[in-house]
């Protein structure tokens, strides 16, 4: 046990001397030794010992102390009513939290109240709405290898992903750890469990890697776990590794569910429901299905190659979900400008579409047909958007219902959603396109569920489900009788006050009630001489006396007894209604998916109509299986929304014009243009209209980006090394179906080295890879290289130089730029004037040297230092022995250009040292 999270070892040694309550706490800490145990004591969750010191510091709450036979120890607590905010802080600090609730009523049991862990809260298994983003999934992942082990040739690696709050469950596998890492980046899980021999370096620092029972990844045990949810897992999943990952992930989800307690009373319905297991039985049951998550009904096994592949670098560079700027807003992302969804279901669906753009033209066209029809029909689109605003988060709602954590208001939210489904369904009843007609058929209004809730639950129920007033009149005759008894008794009490005032002549006499003494008749001290003989004294106050009569006591027993029995009966009935609805989990999930899809389509149509997007033409691949990207008047979907004006530009990339070398000064728009092309391609494959006058596109298998400068200081990688790593990935994995964006490659090293690397990469992309590429550069000699390559061409951004600086037109044009205008850009950025002037002098001197050399027709003579280096190199005398040995050992015939240049850079650094 971690002393920082639970009782110290000294206390553990005195386990038998602990008070019963502290013994409970000790045992729970021992069982959940990787978590901070929040231990319910009345209206607070308490922590003790090391955990108290740590939570007090992290949460900035008071640290007190407690003393018993084992000594004095720290204690810190948080109010249960506000526990979510504190739990969120603990999660953000990197801790797991085990919530131990009282599972018995304090007044109904002798001795210490029993407590049990009802759930383990971790970053990837949150189900509390207060802690979850409503418009995105929260995945927990599991990674497992096949049984061959890490040392085998091409061992298969499987990835499983589960959103515990919605039931979304996915699985895939690959023999490439890089491919699995790309999927991790795509889905961005907040937590992961990793099997034996599986790599742990697939996950970013933001993902909590949780140790978990290795036996859960055992093939036989994992298969049994999956079989409890889905028939024939061997047919559903593609490999042993996938079964291991899915089984372990389900086992982990069951583990964090805890005992599935609600903190509610243990009661059972009479008659047909008397034998059902209650919440209080969960912690000790041996039934393997007891903690089964009933709302996990679908497992989707997918192949990453079925979708446009986007690795972590591309996701970040294209700003699909997160802005590159530290203080950037979500509006400055692709999802931020596309998301006009009306409900949480649609928001998550849209993000999934952006995360996994399609490849199959027929599927893309089906979405485009729906978007086109909704774009043209303004009235239908706006009506659907308005009605979808009334749709609650059905996926998470039915999850809470299945987990028996939903209250009566949750059931009414389900009912209110079902109430708008018929109108939504009617609005697309006459749709022309296939996709909308399919959605019309999928929109099951669940009339039986709606009627059940209408009949059973009052229209405005309280939050608490154990204190009555939630079951509608007329739903249950027994409950109605109990309520009538209570009402009649209360009416008799009301009449009693008037009758006793008249009988005794005491005008100030009143009849009251409190939970301790029950009903009473209160008489002030000056009127005590008028109290009748049949009054029995119950309580003496400072200014009055309280009395009861035999008849009042009898009525009290009948009233209070009826109210308590009514509350119990309501709770029983509510649980029965909730269980009946939970049995319809698959129907509710299917409805949720249809509503989510419709909302996402309406969102895309809304954006298309409002911002003048066009329908892209999706074309099959040509005879050479290359790509065609023909965009007329394309615009960057994000930048155009953040600028007062935006200059559209065309892009034509075909089989014989597939590598564009783009030049022009900084700030002219090169990076924006490249990202714009990539985002238009991606939007089209999402099934969205695109920001352009027209677009004709071939589906792209993968988008690669090498854009912007960044380093990895913690990993010991310089900016240049990060750049080279990303380039190596591109040159290794790109093919003729890839779109590659390269921005200023080679700027992290010397000019000569950078130019050499840029040229080698350009040639390799053209000759060996065959990818469609946009290459923005300040290395102007690359334009000459492009002229010599058959399928390459040059573009530039036009700039006018005036007396007071440069004017950027942001128009792209054929051929190369005449210069980079770096000094002018520095001036515009506010660089001090003396620095700018010195820069101009140096540029002028360099240009004069070049002109002189060109006029003389002779090459520049080497300097004395350069001659010395050349002489030393020629005879090898000054080259260190180890460097010379490494040079001789290089197998140049089998090195790629980038590998050769990387080795050259490394050896050069050794010489410099």
């Amino acid at each position: 046990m971690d002393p920082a999270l639970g009782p110290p070892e000294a206390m553990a040694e005195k386990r038998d001397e602990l008070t019963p309550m502290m013994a409970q706490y000790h045992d729970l800490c021992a069982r959940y030794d990787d978590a901070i145990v929040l231990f319910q004591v009345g209206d607070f969750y308490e922590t003790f010992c090391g955990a108290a010191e740590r939570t007090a510091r992290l949460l900035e709450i008071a640290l007190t102390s407690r003393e018993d036979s084992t000594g004095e120890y720290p204690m810190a607590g948080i109010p249960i009513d506000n526990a979510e905010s504190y739990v969120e802080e603990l999660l953000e600090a990197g801790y797991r939290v085990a919530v131990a609730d009282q599972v018995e009523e304090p007044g109904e049991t002798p001795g210490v109240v029993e407590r049990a862990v009802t759930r383990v809260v971790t970053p990837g298994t949150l189900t509390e709405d207060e802690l979850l983003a409503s418009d995105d999934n929260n995945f927990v992942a599991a990674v497992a290898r096949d049984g061959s082990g890490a040392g085998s040739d091409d061992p298969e690696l499987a990835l499983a992903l589960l959103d515990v709050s919605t039931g979304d469950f996915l699985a895939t596998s690959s023999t490439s750890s890089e491919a699995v890492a790309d999927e991790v980046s795509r889905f961005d899980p907040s937590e992961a469990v990793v099997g034996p021999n599986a790599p742990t370096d697939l996950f970013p620092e933001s993902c909590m890697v949780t140790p978990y029972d290795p036996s859960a990844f055992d093939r036989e045990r994992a298969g049994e776990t999956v079989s409890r949810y889905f028939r024939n897992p061997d047919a559903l999943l593609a490999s042993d590794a996938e079964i291991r990952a899915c089984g372990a992930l389900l086992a982990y989800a069951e583990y964090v569910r805890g005992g599935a307690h609600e903190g509610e009373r243990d009661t059972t319905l009479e008659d047909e429901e008397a034998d059902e297991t209650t919440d209080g039985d969960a912690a000790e049951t041996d039934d393997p299905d007891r903690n089964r998550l009933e709302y996990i009904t679908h497992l989707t096994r997918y192949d990453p190659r079925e979708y446009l592949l986007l690795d972590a670098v591309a996701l970040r560079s294209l700003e699909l979900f997160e802005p590159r700027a530290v203080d950037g807003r979500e509006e400055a992302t692709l999802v931020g400008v596309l998301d006009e969804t009306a409900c949480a279901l649609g928001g998550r669906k849209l993000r999934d579409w952006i995360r996994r753009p399609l490849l199959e033209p027929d599927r893309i066209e089906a979405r485009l047909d729906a978007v086109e029809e909704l774009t043209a029909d303004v009235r239908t689109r706006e009506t659907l958007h308005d009605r979808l605003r009334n749709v609650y988060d059905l996926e998470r709602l039915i999850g809470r219902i299945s987990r028996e954590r939903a209250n009566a208001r949750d059931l009414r939210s389900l009912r209110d959603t079902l109430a708008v489904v018929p109108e939504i369904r009617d609005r697309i009843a006459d749709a022309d396109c296939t996709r909308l007609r399919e959605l019309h058929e999928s929109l099951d209004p669940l009339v039986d569920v709606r009627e059940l809730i209408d009949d059973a639950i009052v229209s405005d129920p309280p939050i608490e489900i154990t204190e009555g007033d939630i079951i509608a009149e007329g739903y249950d005759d027994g409950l109605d009788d109990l309520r009538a008894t209570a009402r009649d008794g209360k009416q008799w009490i009301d009449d009693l006050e008037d009758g006793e005032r008249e009988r005794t002549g005491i005008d100030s006499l009143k009849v009251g009630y409190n939970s301790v003494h029950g009903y009473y008749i209160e008489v002030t001290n000056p009127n005590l001489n008028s109290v009748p003989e049949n009054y029995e004294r119950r309580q003496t106050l400072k200014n009055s006396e309280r009395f009861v009569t035999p008849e009042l006591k009898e009525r009290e027993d009948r009233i209070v007894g009826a109210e308590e029995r009514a509350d119990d009966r309501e709770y029983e009935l509510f649980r029965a209604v909730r269980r009946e609805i939970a049995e319809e989990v698959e129907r509710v999930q299917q409805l949720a998916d249809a509503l989510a899809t419709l909302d996402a389509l309406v969102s895309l149509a809304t954006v298309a109509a409002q911002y003048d997007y066009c329908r892209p033409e999706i074309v099959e691949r040509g005879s050479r299986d290359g790509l065609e990207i023909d965009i007329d008047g394309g615009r960057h979907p994000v930048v155009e929304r953040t600028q007062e004006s935006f200059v559209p530009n065309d892009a034509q990339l075909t089989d014989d014009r597939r590598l564009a070398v783009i030049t022009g000064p900084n700030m002219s728009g090169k990076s924006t243009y490249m990202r714009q092309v990539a985002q238009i391609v991606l939007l089209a494959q999402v099934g969205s209209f695109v920001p352009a006058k027209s677009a004709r596109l071939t589906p792209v298998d993968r988008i690669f980006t090498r854009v912007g400068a960044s380093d990895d200081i913690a990993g010991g990688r310089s900016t240049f090394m990060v750049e080279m790593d990303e380039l190596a990935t591109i040159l290794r994995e790109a093919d003729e179906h890839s779109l590659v964006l390269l921005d200023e490659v080679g700027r992290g090293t010397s000019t000569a080295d950078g130019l050499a690397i840029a040229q080698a990469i350009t040639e390799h992309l053209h000759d060996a890879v065959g990818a469609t590429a946009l290459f923005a550069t300040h290395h102007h000699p690359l334009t000459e290289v492009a002229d010599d390559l058959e399928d390459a061409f040059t573009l530039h951004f036009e700039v006018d130089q005036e007396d007071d600086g440069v004017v950027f037109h942001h128009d792209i044009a054929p051929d190369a730029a005449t210069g980079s205008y770096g000094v002018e850009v520095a001036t515009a950025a506010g660089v001090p004037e003396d620095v700018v002037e010195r820069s101009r002098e140096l540029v002028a001197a360099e240009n004069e040297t070049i002109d002189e050399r060109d006029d003389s027709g002779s090459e520049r003579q080497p300097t004395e230092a350069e001659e010395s280096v050349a002489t030393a190199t020629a005879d090898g005398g000054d080259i260190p022995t180890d460097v010379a040995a490494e040079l001789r050992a290089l197998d140049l015939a089998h090195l790629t250009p980038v590998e050769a240049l990387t080795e050259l850079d490394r050896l050069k650094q050794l010489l410099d040292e």
Side-chain angles (χ1 to χ4, degrees):
M1 181 186 301
D2 183 351
L5 301 183
E9 292 183 7
M11 183 176 288
E13 294 172 358
K14 300 180 180 180
R15 166 68 175 77
D16 295 338
E17 300 177 22
L18 296 176
T19 63
M21 188 185 79
M22 285 306 296
Q24 273 190 11
Y25 179 72
H26 177 275
D27 292 345
L28 290 173
C29 287
R31 184 176 178 187
Y32 297 90
D33 58 358
D34 61 345
I36 290 178
V37 174
L38 296 183
F39 190 77
Q40 185 184 1
V41 181
D43 294 331
F44 282 78
Y45 284 129
E46 300 288 354
T47 56
F48 304 95
C49 306
E53 294 175 343
R54 186 157 297 189
T55 55
R57 183 172 64 254
L58 289 172
L59 304 179
E60 298 183 354
I61 57 177
L63 181 66
T64 60
S65 64
R66 184 185 184 95
E67 187 173 5
D68 62 20
S69 59
T70 61
E72 186 176 2
Y73 45 86
M75 172 179 174
I78 59 174
I80 289 177
D81 290 344
N82 193 31
E84 286 81 5
S85 61
Y86 293 106
V87 169
E88 184 175 19
E89 290 186 54
L90 292 173
L91 294 177
E92 290 176 352
Y95 292 95
R96 302 166 189 84
V97 178
V99 180
D101 286 308
Q102 295 176 179
V103 294
E104 294 177 324
E105 289 291 339
E108 297 180 1
T109 181
V112 66
V113 176
E114 183 66 25
R115 295 170 179 86
V117 169
T118 59
R119 64 195 188 282
V120 179
V121 186
T122 69
T125 59
L126 295 172
T127 57
E128 293 79 1
D129 283 353
E130 299 85 350
L131 305 180
L132 288 166
S134 64
D135 55 5
D136 204 358
N137 286 101
N138 183 53
F139 286 109
V140 56
V143 174
R145 283 193 187 276
D146 62 18
S148 57
S152 64
D153 295 335
D154 296 327
E156 188 168 65
L157 198 62
L159 172 70
L161 296 146
L162 174 64
D163 185 333
V164 176
S165 68
T166 66
D168 289 331
F169 196 12
L170 306 166
T172 190
S173 59
S174 174
T175 56
S176 165
S177 60
E178 289 84 0
V180 174
D182 288 342
E183 293 307 293
V184 169
S185 299
R186 192 198 294 262
F187 288 96
D188 192 24
S190 54
E191 184 181 4
V193 292
V194 181
N197 300 319
T200 60
D201 58 355
L202 304 173
F203 304 97
E205 290 184 8
S206 58
C207 179
M208 176 186 285
V209 178
T210 298
Y212 187 57
D213 182 4
S215 67
F217 291 87
D218 175 76
R219 171 61 179 84
E220 183 176 353
R221 178 178 168 186
E224 292 173 354
T225 303
V226 177
S227 297
R228 289 194 285 110
Y229 286 81
F230 311 103
R231 294 179 180 177
N232 196 1
D234 291 290
L236 182 63
L237 297 168
S239 65
D240 281 359
E242 290 181 5
I243 292 175
R244 292 172 188 270
C246 290
L249 190 52
L250 288 170
Y252 181 67
E254 293 176 348
Y255 159 75
V256 298
R257 187 184 185 186
H261 294 281
E262 293 183 62
E264 302 169 6
R265 296 170 299 183
D266 283 337
T267 55
T268 52
L269 283 178
E270 299 172 357
D271 304 325
E272 74 274 11
E273 295 174 280
D275 294 329
E276 294 192 14
T277 304
T278 64
D279 290 347
D281 299 324
E284 303 301 328
T285 183
D286 293 327
D287 181 3
D289 282 332
R290 183 60 188 91
N291 284 335
R292 185 176 183 273
L293 304 173
E294 301 288 348
Y295 61 99
I296 298 178
T297 60
H298 295 89
L299 170 55
T300 302
R301 197 273 166 188
Y302 76 98
D303 187 335
R305 293 169 296 184
E306 297 171 353
Y307 302 94
L308 190 160
L309 293 177
L310 298 161
D311 60 17
V313 177
L315 289 168
R316 185 169 58 251
S317 299
L318 297 178
E319 299 180 286
L320 301 186
F321 302 105
E322 297 290 338
R324 288 172 65 88
V326 175
D327 58 348
R329 301 166 300 168
E330 187 188 17
E331 293 82 0
T333 63
L334 185 62
V335 71
V337 301
L338 281 186
D339 191 357
E340 294 290 341
T341 55
C343 63
L345 295 172
R348 289 199 296 274
K349 179 67 73 174
L350 181 62
R351 279 161 176 75
D352 184 58
W353 287 358
I354 296 172
R355 192 177 285 123
R356 295 191 291 171
L358 302 171
L359 291 182
E360 175 56 47
D362 290 344
R363 296 178 66 191
I364 298 172
E365 294 286 6
R367 282 188 194 167
L368 289 173
D369 288 343
V371 173
E372 182 173 38
E373 186 166 340
L374 292 169
T375 302
D377 191 341
V378 179
R379 185 174 180 181
T380 293
R381 184 179 73 245
E382 292 182 346
T383 300
L384 288 172
H385 187 271
D386 183 63
R387 297 300 178 268
L388 286 164
R389 289 180 183 274
N390 298 317
V391 170
Y392 287 82
D393 194 340
L394 293 186
E395 290 177 327
R396 288 178 176 164
L397 194 56
I398 194 60
R400 287 199 301 277
I401 291 171
S402 295
R403 293 191 303 273
E404 299 188 349
R405 292 191 178 278
N407 60 30
R409 290 187 181 181
D410 289 328
L411 300 195
R412 290 301 303 190
S413 295
L414 173 58
R415 178 264 172 210
D416 292 343
T417 296
L418 299 180
V420 301
V421 171
E423 186 174 356
I424 293 173
R425 195 171 186 271
D426 289 345
R427 293 302 305 184
I428 57 174
D430 299 323
D432 294 326
C433 74
T434 301
R435 191 71 189 97
L436 290 179
R437 291 199 301 270
E438 290 172 347
L439 289 175
H440 173 265
E441 295 303 316
S442 299
L443 289 170
D444 178 1
L446 279 79
V447 174
D448 52 336
V449 174
R450 178 184 171 187
E451 290 178 348
L452 171 61
I453 299 172
D454 268 332
D455 291 343
I457 309 299
V458 299
S459 59
D460 186 21
I463 295 177
E464 295 295 329
I465 61 175
T466 60
E467 298 177 4
D469 297 328
I470 57 176
I471 300 298
E473 291 281 348
Y475 181 72
D476 181 75
D477 291 341
L479 176 61
D480 289 345
D481 290 342
L482 291 170
R483 285 173 168 170
T485 299
R487 278 196 304 268
D488 291 345
K490 287 184 177 180
Q491 184 60 52
W492 183 88
I493 296 293
D494 292 340
D495 295 340
L496 176 66
E497 184 173 278
D498 292 337
E500 288 301 294
R501 282 181 179 179
E502 182 177 350
R503 182 168 77 90
T504 63
I506 304 172
D507 293 337
S508 61
L509 179 149
K510 63 179 181 181
V511 177
Y513 175 83
N514 66 42
S515 58
V516 176
H517 296 97
Y519 285 100
Y520 56 81
I521 301 171
E522 185 171 301
V523 179
T524 57
N525 290 343
N527 296 302
L528 292 178
N529 58 349
S530 300
V531 171
E533 292 183 0
N534 67 326
Y535 279 26
E536 301 174 9
R537 182 173 283 105
R538 170 164 280 185
Q539 185 182 14
T540 300
L541 304 178
K542 180 179 180 181
N543 299 315
S544 63
E545 296 276 355
R546 290 177 175 174
F547 302 89
V548 294
T549 66
E551 191 175 12
L552 179 58
K553 290 171 66 176
E554 180 184 351
R555 290 283 184 170
E556 177 185 323
D557 291 341
R558 292 169 58 186
I559 296 169
V560 173
E563 288 179 333
E564 289 180 350
R565 291 195 301 275
D567 289 349
D568 289 344
R569 184 63 183 170
E570 284 203 59
Y571 174 60
E572 296 165 4
L573 291 166
F574 171 77
R575 293 187 66 213
V577 170
R578 188 173 59 187
R579 282 195 295 270
E580 188 173 345
I581 294 172
E583 293 175 359
E584 305 298 335
V585 58
E586 290 195 57
R587 292 175 63 197
V588 174
Q589 288 175 334
Q590 290 168 1
L591 171 62
D593 185 68
L595 290 169
T597 301
L598 183 59
D599 191 19
L601 291 170
V602 170
S603 178
L604 295 179
T606 299
V607 172
Q610 187 170 352
Y611 297 101
D612 193 25
Y613 285 16
C614 74
R615 175 171 181 161
E617 181 183 354
I618 307 299
V619 297
E620 299 286 347
R621 287 171 180 156
S623 58
R624 289 176 53 187
D625 273 350
L627 300 178
E628 179 179 354
I629 299 175
D630 187 354
I631 301 170
D632 180 15
R635 313 185 306 275
H636 193 294
V638 178
V639 176
E640 74 164 345
R641 300 271 284 273
T642 60
Q643 304 293 326
E644 293 183 3
S645 61
F646 187 88
V647 178
N649 277 300
D650 302 340
Q652 285 86 32
L653 296 157
T654 59
D655 275 351
D656 55 359
R657 282 173 55 88
R658 53 186 168 80
L659 195 156
V661 175
I662 308 169
T663 53
N666 289 318
M667 303 295 293
S668 61
K670 300 190 300 296
S671 295
T672 298
Y673 176 75
M674 292 196 302
R675 290 190 180 99
Q676 166 184 311
V677 171
Q679 290 195 352
I680 288 174
V681 169
L682 187 147
L683 280 175
Q685 292 183 227
V686 164
S688 168
F689 280 26
V690 300
K693 290 181 181 178
S694 66
R696 177 181 169 87
L697 306 165
T698 306
V700 171
D701 285 0
R702 185 162 184 176
I703 296 176
F704 292 93
T705 64
R706 162 85 284 279
V707 179
S710 62
D711 55 28
D712 178 13
I713 296 175
R717 300 189 303 161
S718 66
T719 300
F720 181 63
M721 183 54 71
V722 170
E723 182 180 338
M724 290 300 101
D725 283 348
E726 293 177 2
L727 281 170
T729 298
I730 293 172
L731 298 180
R732 184 174 61 249
E733 299 182 13
D735 60 21
E736 68 272 18
H737 304 143
S738 303
L739 174 62
V740 177
L741 310 184
L742 300 176
D743 189 12
E744 304 301 347
V745 167
R747 63 182 169 186
T749 185
S750 68
T751 301
D753 287 353
L755 175 58
I757 291 172
Q759 179 173 338
I761 287 170
T762 303
E763 294 170 349
H764 188 77
L765 281 173
H766 181 276
D767 298 337
V769 177
T772 298
L774 298 172
F775 193 158
T777 182
H778 282 294
H779 294 302
H780 289 273
L782 277 189
T783 60
E784 299 176 8
V785 175
D787 291 338
D788 295 334
L789 298 175
E790 180 181 1
D791 298 333
F793 62 103
T794 57
L795 296 170
H796 75 281
F797 277 88
E798 296 185 337
V799 175
D800 286 339
Q801 188 166 4
E802 300 179 354
D803 293 340
D804 56 349
V806 293
V807 177
F808 300 113
H809 296 293
H810 303 295
D811 290 309
I812 200 163
D815 303 323
T818 57
S820 292
Y821 301 96
V823 176
E824 286 74 12
V825 173
T827 303
V831 173
E833 184 62 29
D834 57 341
V835 176
V836 172
E837 285 304 316
R838 178 57 178 156
S839 300
R840 293 186 194 280
E841 293 172 4
L842 293 172
V843 170
E846 177 65 19
N847 289 337
E848 185 177 343
T849 300
I850 293 172
D851 291 341
E852 289 175 357
R853 183 169 68 244
D854 291 343
D855 290 341
S856 67
S858 61
E859 296 184 0
R860 181 178 69 85
Q861 297 301 308
T863 66
E864 182 178 346
E866 290 171 332
E867 286 183 340
S868 175
V869 170
T871 302
T873 304
D875 62 21
D878 290 350
I879 297 180
T881 304
D882 57 340
V883 176
E886 290 199 43
L887 275 170
R888 294 189 186 96
L890 286 178
D891 185 6
L892 297 177
H894 293 88
L895 289 179
T896 67
V898 169
E899 290 171 340
L901 289 166
T902 301
E903 284 295 312
L904 179 62
D905 180 69
R906 183 178 65 82
L907 294 172
K908 181 178 179 295
Q909 291 180 21
L910 289 175
L911 283 174
D912 292 341
E913 293 172 359

